[in-house]
Amino acid sequence: MYTPTRSKYNSPVGGDRFIPTRSLMDMDFARSAFSNWTPAKKPKEEEHFNPTPKDEYRRKIEEHFNVDSEGKPRRMLVFRTSSACKRKLSFIDELLVESPTTPTKPVNPVRHVTTHSDLILDAPNLRDSDCLKLMDWGRENILAIALGLSVYLYSIDSRKTELLLESDNYDDYPSSLAWSHDGRTLAVGFSTSRIEVWDAVRVQLVGVVEAHGGRVGSLCWNGHILSSGGSDGLIINHDVRSNGRMVSRLRAHSGELCGLRWSEDNVRLASGANDCLVNVWDQRCMQQCSKYLYQFRDHTAPVRALAWCPFKSHTLATGGGPSDGSIKIWNTSNGNCVTTADTGSQVCALEWNKHKKEILSAHGSGENLITLRSYPSLRKIVDLRGHKARVLHFSQSPDGSTVASASADETIRFWKVFGLPPCPSKGGDESIFSLKRMHIR
């Protein structure tokens, strides 16, 4: 094959100051060199060499860039349209897929938060008070709600309402409700200091306890122990196995108790009251000592919103009243405030998401909305609107997907805010069921 040689006129020493040297611009020689190029053979000692992922990637790059579709060396710097210039861009994606060094990361699907209520119940005569707990959702998927002088049981599965009890004295009204852990026993506190324990399956009264000096506005269970908080500032623990025998009595607050809640591991009890204080008690020390473990004084208004974190048993969330409007996260292992956020309105209730690091807050004395926030930053994710008055109570479904909210506008709304978005139904927000109308009188 003919190979042109360099001209003596193109030597590096040739040319003058106006005509630069053209030794690097001999196009005949450059084309011949490219067309005669063949890839070097691998040494014998490298024939059985196991290439690394980087070597394999380099080999594929050389193969795609330097060899055309017919296996011939590709000509470089071709200044005309040819098939060699039509490179396929898809090979880059193939290299990324085939490369063993490319990790496959799971992609988390974006969760859509439903901002409309799935169901609305008409709840006439729901009392508007800061110190009462008038709704609770049991493990058997039954919602207990106190309306005026009566307590109703609403079955979520069958959407049927049953009257559990009704008082005949206007001054002796139900002031607090709490389901046992198995969802078969309901404790009902009254304004006249009485506590009744009901078998919800047989709809039968099984016990009566009288220990407080005023209305019982807070109730919660810890196994067979029923804890109650009253307007007398006391917390009393009752053993329901022995006719409500008093196990311990705690002088908790100087004002009426507004909130009472056991931690997820049933070790610590949190109490909030009208004296703007939050106390944390250790179950293991209640009988020997009535002294609280920690006392938090950072709130400037009554504290009724209490919620223990489901994935960190020592983490407690608290919310302040109208003149406070803050949400605070506490580490009850050392008594420190971890995070605080100013909401600008009264915090009436708090509920943690059992599946994600989120917390739901109910508000009043302002926009009367429900806000979903991320944890631990407490950054607002979305607002849920619909109630026309302040949102008083929260209760979460047994599977953790739905939250029921009770408001002073005498409605109960169900929000699937913690679960998957519900399928749109024809009724939507117009599906209203009246507890009073559904009761057979």
Side-chain angles (χ1 to χ4, degrees), residues 371-424:
T371 302
L372 181 65
R373 300 176 182 272
S374 62
Y375 171 81
S377 65
L378 297 182
R379 178 183 57 85
K380 181 188 294 187
I381 298 176
V382 68
D383 288 331
L384 310 179
R385 303 176 184 272
H387 285 295
K388 306 304 180 183
R390 63 174 180 168
V391 185
L392 297 170
H393 309 285
F394 268 163
S395 194
Q396 192 170 168
S397 62
D399 62 0
S401 64
T402 306
V403 174
S405 61
S407 170
D409 61 6
E410 297 187 343
T411 63
I412 300 172
R413 291 175 179 259
F414 294 81
W415 313 83
K416 290 189 176 180
V417 62
F418 289 158
L420 296 176
C423 298

Side-chain angles (χ1 to χ4, degrees), residues 138 217 225 241 265 318 360 383 420:
I225 300 297
R241 298 175 302 180
D265 57 2
T318 61
L360 198 67
D383 288 331
L420 296 176

